[in-house]
Amino acid sequence: MTVARVTEIISSSTESFDDAVRQGIRRASKTLKNVRGAWVEGQKVICDGQGHIVEFRVILKVSFVLEN
């Protein structure tokens, strides 16, 4: 029997939402073993005072399989 767990992380990038997702998965994989997938729960941008996007943020639900 396989048992999986889901954890929520927030990741950011100055480049794009796609890059924020990639960085989040890369970082989660350093701490969590057996990362199997993730889905984007939410997205947000941070703007400077002049309406320019300075940061892209994603809320990720990361699933990983627990070891026996």
Side-chain angles (χ1 to χ4, degrees):
M1 177 174 85
T2 301
V3 177
R5 185 169 181 157
V6 176
T7 190
E8 182 177 272
I9 65 169
I10 299 171
S11 180
S12 65
S13 168
T14 57
E15 301 296 319
S16 67
F17 287 121
D18 184 58
D19 188 52
V21 171
R22 291 178 192 280
Q23 286 190 42
I25 296 297
R26 190 176 305 122
R27 177 58 183 87
S29 294
K30 289 181 180 180
T31 305
L32 304 172
K33 294 182 181 180
N34 301 318
V35 171
R36 296 293 188 229
W39 63 94
V40 177
E41 178 83 355
Q43 297 177 321
K44 178 181 177 179
V45 295
I46 304 300
C47 299
D48 62 12
Q50 300 171 340
H52 299 105
I53 296 173
V54 295
E55 188 174 58
F56 299 86
R57 292 185 183 171
V58 292
I59 301 169
L60 295 173
K61 299 281 189 166
V62 179
S63 62
F64 57 99
V65 176
L66 299 176
E67 295 178 342
N68 291 334

